Amino acid sequence: QKEVEQNSGPLSVPEGAIASLNCTYSDRGSQSFFWYRQYSGKSPELIMFIYSNGDKEDGRFTAQLNKASQYVSLLIRDSQPSDSATYLCAENTGNQFYFGTGTSLTVIP
Amino acid sequence: DVKVTQSSRYLVKRTGEKVFLECVQDMDHENMFWYRQDPGLGLRLIYFSYDVKMKEKGDIPEGYSVSREKKERFSLILESASTNQTSMYLCASRPAGAGGLTEQFFGPGTRLTVL
């Protein structure tokens, strides 16, 4: 059984700070990793994905992947109150995605 | 713009009823998925389908069945609803191929309550 672990939080950061969200996974054969944001009562929406070791930046978001440590992270720079949501980490192998339970983030104005 | 729609946002059913949840996607995706989401348990895969009339069990298929008669439509069936099936149900679709570099697109979800 593949496992994706996330700290459930809640994580609170002040507006303008950097939020750091972390995820570990059990399967060394995992191909790619996805970060989704989910607002309360809504469905998940993709923020970004990463498949190579290192960093990938998209606007205020940076995903980091370390395959040796089986670790994926998401950094949110200049956090805004609108970033308050649950963030889901998922790993993909073949057709299936395996999701973590999510980290709840609150950005305090 | 990819669109995944689900037949109901909110549904209330009685124990023992047969329940149909419908999902339609408009982007000709080969793969479709049904998840349930519960607090503290995250998204758990019930069934997925990689082609018309093809289906694979996910992690929690017990008490559920699926049907995919057309490429754009994937139905989840609760044969005899029970209170422990009260949950948020999310449908997703995804194109095949691309070496794992494509996302899953989610529908808006159906919040099912079984009384």
Side-chain angles (χ1 to χ4, degrees):
Chain A
Q1 176 74 17
K2 296 177 189 288
E3 291 187 355
V4 177
E5 301 281 346
Q6 292 182 259
N7 186 331
S8 62
L11 175 66
S12 294
V13 299
E15 184 174 354
I18 296 175
S20 177
L21 304 161
N22 304 314
C23 174
T24 59
Y25 60 95
S26 62
D27 185 2
R28 288 191 175 274
S30 298
Q31 298 171 328
S32 51
F33 302 87
F34 294 72
W35 282 101
Y36 282 84
R37 177 177 62 199
Q38 186 175 25
Y39 293 114
S40 180
K42 303 292 187 181
S43 58
E45 54 184 356
L46 182 73
I47 299 173
M48 63 191 304
F49 68 88
I50 186 168
Y51 58 92
S52 297
N53 271 330
D55 296 359
K56 180 181 178 183
E57 187 174 316
D58 185 359
R60 294 186 298 112
F61 300 94
T62 299
Q64 299 174 319
L65 174 60
N66 183 326
K67 290 189 176 181
S69 301
Q70 297 175 240
Y71 179 92
V72 188
S73 64
L74 180 71
L75 301 178
I76 307 174
R77 289 182 300 281
D78 189 24
S79 295
Q80 301 297 310
S82 59
D83 294 326
S84 298
T86 296
Y87 289 79
L88 304 174
C89 171
E91 72 93 2
N92 168 233
T93 303
N95 280 325
Q96 292 198 48
F97 279 47
Y98 296 88
F99 287 85
T101 54
T103 298
S104 174
L105 172 67
T106 300
V107 180
I108 303 166
Chain B
D1 208 18
V2 175
K3 194 162 186 183
V4 181
T5 57
Q6 296 183 229
S7 49
S8 305
R9 289 301 309 275
Y10 300 94
L11 208 52
V12 180
K13 295 292 181 181
R14 297 273 179 201
T15 301
E17 281 192 77
K18 191 169 186 177
V19 181
F20 293 86
L21 302 182
E22 305 283 343
C23 176
V24 177
Q25 49 95 4
D26 66 358
M27 284 302 291
D28 202 36
H29 287 170
E30 290 78 11
N31 299 318
M32 296 187 75
F33 306 81
W34 275 107
Y35 295 91
R36 63 177 283 177
Q37 187 174 31
D38 302 286
L41 297 177
L43 279 158
R44 292 181 292 167
L45 182 65
I46 304 171
Y47 269 97
F48 72 96
S49 169
Y50 52 90
D51 202 351
V52 175
K53 297 190 186 295
M54 306 304 287
K55 61 184 179 184
E56 293 282 345
K57 293 181 180 179
D59 298 320
I60 51 163
E62 296 78 19
Y64 303 94
S65 62
V66 291
S67 172
R68 194 164 180 204
E69 296 297 318
K70 293 185 177 181
K71 191 175 185 179
E72 67 270 20
R73 187 180 298 268
F74 191 35
S75 302
L76 180 68
I77 303 151
L78 286 66
E79 298 291 343
S80 177
S82 63
T83 55
N84 63 13
Q85 292 178 310
T86 292
S87 187
M88 170 69 90
Y89 289 87
L90 288 161
C91 175
S93 74
R94 185 191 195 206
L101 303 182
T102 56
E103 65 183 282
Q104 287 192 358
F105 296 87
F106 284 88
T110 295
R111 185 163 294 281
L112 173 67
T113 302
V114 183
L115 302 175

